[in-house]
Each structure stands twice: as structure tokens, then as C-alpha cells.
Amino acid sequence: MRKFINRPQDFVTQSLEGMAAAHAGRIVVHLNPTFVRRADAPVKGKVALISGGGSGHEPMHAGFVGPGMLDAACPGQVFTSPTPDQMLEATRAVNGGAGVLNIVKNYSGDVMNFEMAAELAHAEGIRIANILIDDDAAVKDSLYTQGRRGTGTTVLAEKICGAAAERGYALDQVAALCRRVNLGGRSMGVALSSCTVPAKGSPTFALSENEMEFGIGIHGEAGRQRMDLRTADEIAEMLATSILDDPAYSRLTREWDAARGTWSEVELVSQPFQKGDALLAFVNGMGGTPLAELYVLYRKLDEVCSKRGYTIRRNLIGSFMTSLEMQGASITLLRLDSETIDLWDAPVHTPGLRWGA
Amino acid sequence: MRKFINRPQDFVTQSLEGMAAAHAGRIVVHLNPTFVRRADAPVKGKVALISGGGSGHEPMHAGFVGPGMLDAACPGQVFTSPTPDQMLEATRAVNGGAGVLNIVKNYSGDVMNFEMAAELAHAEGIRIANILIDDDAAVKDSLYTQGRRGTGTTVLAEKICGAAAERGYALDQVAALCRRVNLGGRSMGVALSSCTVPAKGSPTFALSENEMEFGIGIHGEAGRQRMDLRTADEIAEMLATSILDDPAYSRLTREWDAARGTWSEVELVSQPFQKGDALLAFVNGMGGTPLAELYVLYRKLDEVCSKRGYTIRRNLIGSFMTSLEMQGASITLLRLDSETIDLWDAPVHTPGLRWGA
């Protein structure tokens, strides 16, 4: 394994210990159960945001803990869901009295465990909201999900909702905003190589030098199609077109009804993109792809969007939601409005995303 | 080649075009000759900073153009020096009347071409200073250099001197500061894999899965020693120890004497680190290494520094000076004082490094 690791079983903990040392005074890392929180949490009267999921996607999520984004993150082992006790402890630690929003990527393990944690927190009198991110236009169901997977829109939702919470939005308002961001975002990814989970020691799948996997998930799970490697322009156009041509998508989602203390099924519909939409374009590297190549993809994405009548109003380019050292990239497009543009621009101060005051 | 590219010969230009589209209004990309400048350049009365070098190291240098850092960057082809006409055009474009500082990594081609550009700019009446970065503790001479190579300290010098220029330091003062930062910084790198230059299409060198190249340069050029792959802790300790135990290093450097309009040889000495030094610790990924692994390295680096009586006062962790998709990392340690800490903390707003207002 070409990796900077010690024992595979220590990888996640030691990486978090490195984060704690590097960002002391800004984040605090708890072990047993494991979670990362803002050093100044709980922030009294502010809605707290928690996310989490398997490790191996850094900086997501632990790298997004800080003012203007998450209050806590619960990292599981590599590509493995965190457990309800991690989430419950994080919830207790960051609840400032205004309630806690869980932002949950739609992977079965994450969903189940965040639901259990929500129920336990509710039983302790903590107000909870629980919003799923299921923005991946590649697949309807997958190996690890019922319905679409949660991918790039997660990062954008964490940033936008984090800013809203900072501004004093109430729990219901932050939850409604998160739901709206999810419904306005769509993603597609492509892998040029596999990645190696430390505990396994060999690549998750095999991909020859002249192949690519189109519609990949963030764990290396198969996508829509394996095909011959194309040029950057062709790939950018395929990704952009798949997203922009994605039709309306309707699903039944379980959301927590805090008033009734139970889960309720709600039907949510993502409307397709429409000419004239203002967009946030997020070109994300999967961990082993150089930044210079992401800009080559962005160049074509910008051209495709412009030709089709969309305006990219904001962009984010870099490796923010990775799959270990996978060579690959994903594109997320998010419909913006004046409120979400303003929240996007608001200050954020985390290890992984930082701007403004 | 597992790369998002179109034709290899278009890679650099198209990547820059993507940058231009993504950061319109903040940077301007000129082609023929190629350079990237601040959109608001020239900034009247401010010393301008220019750097440059081969492409393939992104975000360095083009990603460091913006308020608080560089005024312009001159990107060559991948791993190939830019030409004097690029540098001269950039110099003309960003000179705001207070002079121009060239920050030059010590690679023979870069050095020669920046020297030629400095002479041409001088002939046009532009005040120039020219400071070499030669901080790599790995080698005394290398394939492409006389003396030590310029590596991670370059990024730190660009940030610190950029802040100084923004604050109104005169050309001589910024140059003296840059010289001081260079003398206070030392770097060591290690590669776990090679990388592939697009125009060549095959890896620069071969490295088996269980080997590493210790003391690597940023172009994949051989380092001190090829050896069996070690654990992250062993590697971090080897890198840190090589830097901290590096003795005084003396060299003759050519610097431009603007008053006399000629080059003069000056003897510069890097003093070794001393117990009690306040340090900036920069753990840099080479492009194909996940952030989570860099934190595992940082964890041990922090421990080694602390045990040996050094205090890490600031840190930077991420892939800022890369070698395409190479798996590897470098550590740079820089001696800090109150002035450089203050300049480090000052606002910076570039595509690749951003904080503060």
C-alpha cells in the first residue's frame, strides 16, 4: 500500500489526533466514542449542525467543523458508518438549546444510525431535525442505498446551512433550507482509478489505465457504466449533461417530526434544472487528482453551462469530498437564489473551507 | 494516462483558461506570452511580487496570485521553466512604480530566465529585486540545480512577503524579508509513487509498491536514497530529523544590485534550528496523497518537534506544491518571529490560499 499510515486499525484515530494537534483551540477531538466538535460548542441559542459518515472522504466531514459550518462531525472507520453512540454524544456536546440538525448522506448505515441517535436524543429532550442528502443523479438504487446516494451537495448544504444557523435561523428554518438545498443539487462522478481501504490492503476494484467508471459513488461503488477513457472535455460534457438533463426525481423520505416524536414519510421532488437558473458549480477531486486537471474540467463545464443558458454564479474547485487516493472527479450543480448566494458568501472558518472574517 | 486532459500540449493553457473562468474578476490570464496577474494590477505604489516555474505544481504559483500574495505568476510547460518574455511581460503588467520582487526557486532554468528578465526590466527603468529560494535539505546539488533546490519555503515566502508588500514595505525591505524567510526555512520530501508528465505519457521513474524515494524533488528527480517503505511515524520522524539536524549551510548567491545595475555575489548562511525556536510547520501533499494521511504525518511531526524543544506556532497542511498526481509528501519547517507570524496571519485572497477579510 502506497500510504502514509501506521497500523491500518489506527489510521482514523491518528489522523484525527493530527487534526486535533494542528487545529488546537478551534476543534476538539473526542475518542470513545469518536467525534469532532467546535472548541466553543455548545454555542448557546444557535441551532447546531451535525454530520458524519465513513472516513476516507477528508476534509469531509471533520474538516468542516467550525464557525459557519458544522458544530460536530462523527467519523466512522474508513468507508464505514459511524455508530449511534458517537452521534448521541456529539448531539449532547453541541446542543446549545436551539436544537440539532443532522445532515445525513443517504447511505443505509448512516441513515439507520442517525435515526437511532435522533430518537435517543429526543428521549433526552433535545430537539432534532434530520435531513437526508440524496443528490447523486447516477443511480436510482445502489449497493449501499435505497434511492439515490448522498454526494457533493452535502458539502454545499453544510456550508449554506452552517451560515444560516450562525445567523440565528430556527431549527425548522435551517431544516427547511437544508431540504431545499438538497432538492436543488445534483451530482455525477467519474473514477479513473480505484482506491485502497487500509484494512483491506488491495484496491476496491480494478480499472485498467484506459478505462473509466462513469457514475461512481464516493466509496468506489460501481456507477452507471464502465467505458473507455475519454478526453477531459468529453468527460466534463458527459457529467454536465447527465446532471442538466436529469428529469424530475420524486422520492418518499423519512423525516423526524419533533412535535409528534416520530418519523413521518414525506414526498419530496427535485425539479429539473431550467434555462436561466443561477448555479453553484462544484468540481470536486476524489483525492488523487491534481488541481490543474480539475480546472481543465471546469473550463468545459463553464462552456457547457453557458451555452445551455445557465449562469454559474459561484464555484468551488478542489478536493473536498474524496475517496482516499482515488483518481477521479465529480461535478455538483446547485440551483442558487439570493438567499443561498448570501449564505454561501458568509464567513466560514474550518480546517477544510475558510474564507471571510 | 489516468488524467483529465485533452491534448497534452494544451494541458497548461486549458487549465489556466479554467482558472480564468473560475476566478474572473480576481485574476486575469494572459496567453502568448503566458502569465497570470491580479485583476487589479498594477497596484500603484505597492511593491509587486512575481514568481513562476514549471507547471504541474498547482496551486503553486498561479493559484497564489491575489491580494496578500503574488501580483503575477509565470507558468511554464509541465516541469519546464517559463521564458524571459513571460517574466518581462508580467513585470511590465504589475509594476506599480515601487519595483518588482522576483521570487525564484533554485532550478537552473528558472534562475537563468529570471535573471535575463530582470536585466531587461532594469533596462526599461523598472526597479527589480531577485531572491532565490534554496531550502531543500535533501541534496547539495541535483540534476537541475547548482546548490540546493527550491521547495516548500517558496509558498511560505510568497505568503509572508505578499503580506509585507500589501502593508507598504519598500522593495529593499521585501527583498530582505524574502531572503530571511529563505534562510530560516528547510524542507525534505518523500515520494511513494512517481508521476506522469502528459507530454511523455509514462511515469518519470519506477517505484515499486513497497519502496519509497527519500529526499525527492518536486519534479520526481531522485533524492537521497531509495529504501523500503516505512510507517508514517518513521517517515515523519526521518523527515523532521533531517531538517532539524541539518547543519549550517553556506552558499554564494547571485543577487541583483539595482543601484549598480549588475549582479553581485553574496554569501548567505542558513543557521541550523535551535532549541526554543518558534516554527511554522508545513506538511505538503504532492498531489496524489489524501489529506487524512498528511494529518497522520503532522501528528508525529508535532510530537517530534515538541520533544526536541521546538514550538509549532503556525501550520499549513494540504497539497499546495504538488508534482502532478505523485503520492508523497514534504515537510517544511520555518523559523518564525513576531514579524513573520503577524505577516503570516494577515489576510490573503487567492484561489489556492485564502483567509482573513
Side-chain angles (χ1 to χ4, degrees):
Chain A
M1 273 189 288
R2 301 181 194 268
K3 286 180 191 290
F4 295 110
I5 58 169
N6 296 300
R7 299 189 312 166
Q9 60 267 41
D10 297 330
F11 174 56
V12 171
T13 298
Q14 294 187 337
S15 183
L16 291 171
E17 287 172 348
M19 282 195 74
H23 309 289
R26 301 217 151 259
I27 61 170
V28 173
V29 173
H30 295 260
L31 301 174
N32 306 310
T34 300
F35 65 97
V36 180
R37 67 166 172 86
R38 279 173 65 156
D40 61 350
V43 181
K44 207 178 160 186
K46 188 185 85 70
V47 170
L49 269 60
I50 298 181
S51 192
S55 293
H57 307 298
E58 291 69 23
M60 186 184 79
H61 298 277
F64 299 144
V65 171
M69 216 160 163
L70 298 178
D71 293 79
C74 303
Q77 286 303 306
V78 173
F79 294 178
T80 302
S81 294
T83 51
D85 62 317
Q86 294 177 252
M87 298 158 183
L88 181 61
E89 277 298 316
T91 304
R92 289 170 178 155
V94 302
N95 174 40
V100 176
L101 169 65
N102 296 330
I103 301 180
V104 184
K105 296 192 305 299
N106 189 33
Y107 284 95
S108 303
D110 293 7
V111 171
M112 192 172 67
N113 291 349
F114 265 111
E115 288 193 356
M116 203 175 301
E119 292 172 20
L120 293 168
H122 174 80
E124 296 184 8
I126 300 174
R127 283 219 304 147
I128 295 288
N130 198 77
I131 298 291
L132 291 194
I133 306 294
D134 55 351
D135 65 314
D136 187 350
V139 293
K140 180 144 176 30
D141 295 296
S142 83
L143 188 55
Y144 307 114
T145 60
Q146 196 173 356
R148 291 180 162 190
R149 302 172 293 204
T151 58
T153 301
T154 313
V155 177
L156 311 181
E158 291 176 2
K159 166 66 186 86
I160 289 169
C161 296
E166 216 72 51
R167 288 195 182 170
Y169 282 43
L171 182 61
D172 289 354
Q173 295 173 309
V174 186
L177 177 67
C178 191
R179 191 185 298 114
R180 184 155 67 86
V181 169
N182 179 48
L183 295 178
R186 313 257 177 130
S187 301
M188 279 291 285
V190 60
L192 307 188
S193 79
S194 182
C195 60
T196 297
V197 175
K200 182 162 179 278
S202 60
T204 306
F205 59 99
L207 200 58
S208 85
E209 183 139 1
N210 297 311
E211 285 182 319
M212 63 183 199
E213 182 80 36
F214 189 73
I216 198 84
I218 58 170
H219 307 93
E221 62 268 36
R224 279 191 185 178
Q225 199 185 343
R226 181 161 303 193
M227 54 179 71
D228 287 347
L229 183 59
R230 310 283 180 95
T231 67
D233 281 358
E234 288 167 339
I235 293 170
E237 184 147 16
M238 287 169 67
L239 292 170
T241 304
S242 304
I243 294 170
L244 291 171
D245 292 345
D246 193 44
Y249 173 66
S250 166
R251 73 288 235 172
L252 285 175
T253 298
R254 277 159 60 93
E255 288 194 3
W256 181 249
D257 184 332
R260 292 169 47 225
T262 182
W263 297 95
S264 64
E265 280 209 325
V266 290
E267 190 187 358
L268 298 175
V269 183
S270 300
Q271 296 301 336
F273 290 102
Q274 294 195 341
K275 202 174 264 206
D277 279 350
L279 301 178
L280 189 158
F282 173 25
V283 178
N284 176 57
M286 303 302 279
T289 287
L291 182 59
E293 295 179 28
L294 300 182
Y295 278 114
V296 175
L297 294 175
Y298 183 81
R299 172 183 168 276
K300 187 67 180 180
L301 172 65
D302 182 66
E303 187 187 305
V304 170
C305 287
S306 166
K307 263 193 191 154
R308 295 189 49 167
Y310 300 93
T311 313
I312 298 179
R313 293 286 303 276
R314 294 292 183 275
N315 62 67
L316 180 67
I317 299 163
S319 296
F320 294 100
M321 181 187 222
T322 59
S323 298
L324 298 167
E325 71 285 351
M326 181 185 284
Q327 290 176 284
S330 65
I331 289 177
T332 299
L333 296 176
L334 172 68
R335 191 182 295 116
L336 291 172
D337 55 35
S338 59
E339 180 187 18
T340 47
I341 288 176
D342 192 44
L343 293 167
W344 178 257
D345 290 343
V348 58
H349 194 146
T350 72
L353 208 62
R354 184 173 167 191
W355 58 69
Chain B
M1 272 189 289
R2 302 181 194 269
K3 286 181 190 290
F4 295 109
I5 57 168
N6 297 301
R7 298 189 313 165
Q9 61 266 42
D10 298 330
F11 174 57
V12 171
T13 298
Q14 294 186 336
S15 183
L16 291 171
E17 287 172 348
M19 281 195 75
H23 309 290
R26 300 217 149 260
I27 60 170
V28 173
V29 173
H30 295 260
L31 301 174
N32 305 314
T34 300
F35 65 97
V36 180
R37 66 166 172 88
R38 281 173 64 156
D40 61 350
V43 181
K44 207 179 161 186
K46 188 186 85 68
V47 170
L49 268 60
I50 298 182
S51 192
S55 292
H57 307 300
E58 291 69 23
M60 184 183 82
H61 299 275
F64 298 143
V65 171
M69 217 160 163
L70 297 178
D71 293 78
C74 303
Q77 287 302 308
V78 173
F79 294 176
T80 303
S81 294
T83 52
D85 61 317
Q86 294 176 253
M87 298 158 183
L88 181 61
E89 276 299 314
T91 303
R92 289 172 179 153
V94 302
N95 174 39
V100 176
L101 169 65
N102 297 330
I103 301 180
V104 184
K105 297 193 303 302
N106 189 34
Y107 283 96
S108 303
D110 294 7
V111 171
M112 192 173 64
N113 292 349
F114 265 112
E115 288 193 357
M116 202 174 304
E119 292 173 21
L120 294 168
H122 174 80
E124 296 184 8
I126 301 174
R127 280 221 305 148
I128 295 288
N130 197 78
I131 298 291
L132 292 194
I133 307 292
D134 55 353
D135 65 316
D136 188 350
V139 293
K140 178 140 177 35
D141 294 296
S142 84
L143 189 55
Y144 307 114
T145 60
Q146 195 174 355
R148 291 181 162 187
R149 303 173 294 206
T151 59
T153 301
T154 314
V155 177
L156 312 181
E158 291 175 3
K159 166 68 186 83
I160 289 169
C161 296
E166 215 72 50
R167 290 197 179 167
Y169 282 43
L171 182 60
D172 288 354
Q173 295 173 310
V174 186
L177 177 66
C178 191
R179 191 185 299 116
R180 185 155 66 88
V181 169
N182 179 48
L183 295 180
R186 312 259 177 128
S187 302
M188 279 291 287
V190 60
L192 307 189
S193 79
S194 182
C195 60
T196 297
V197 175
K200 180 161 181 278
S202 60
T204 306
F205 60 98
L207 201 58
S208 86
E209 184 139 0
N210 298 311
E211 284 181 320
M212 63 184 200
E213 181 81 35
F214 190 73
I216 198 85
I218 59 171
H219 308 91
E221 63 268 37
R224 278 193 186 176
Q225 196 183 346
R226 182 161 300 194
M227 54 179 73
D228 287 348
L229 183 59
R230 310 284 180 95
T231 67
D233 280 359
E234 288 167 339
I235 293 168
E237 185 148 15
M238 285 168 68
L239 293 170
T241 303
S242 303
I243 294 169
L244 292 171
D245 292 345
D246 192 44
Y249 173 67
S250 166
R251 74 287 237 175
L252 284 175
T253 298
R254 276 159 60 94
E255 288 193 4
W256 180 249
D257 184 331
R260 292 172 45 227
T262 183
W263 297 95
S264 63
E265 279 209 327
V266 289
E267 189 187 358
L268 297 175
V269 182
S270 300
Q271 296 301 337
F273 290 103
Q274 294 198 339
K275 201 173 266 203
D277 278 349
L279 301 178
L280 190 158
F282 173 25
V283 178
N284 176 58
M286 302 302 281
T289 286
L291 182 60
E293 295 179 28
L294 300 182
Y295 278 114
V296 175
L297 294 176
Y298 184 81
R299 172 183 169 275
K300 188 66 182 181
L301 172 64
D302 182 66
E303 189 187 304
V304 171
C305 287
S306 166
K307 262 193 193 154
R308 295 189 50 168
Y310 300 93
T311 313
I312 298 179
R313 293 287 303 276
R314 294 292 183 274
N315 62 68
L316 180 67
I317 299 163
S319 295
F320 294 99
M321 182 187 222
T322 59
S323 299
L324 298 167
E325 71 286 352
M326 180 184 285
Q327 291 176 282
S330 64
I331 289 177
T332 299
L333 295 176
L334 171 68
R335 191 182 296 116
L336 291 171
D337 55 35
S338 58
E339 180 187 18
T340 48
I341 289 177
D342 191 44
L343 293 167
W344 178 257
D345 291 343
V348 58
H349 194 146
T350 72
L353 208 63
R354 184 172 167 192
W355 59 68

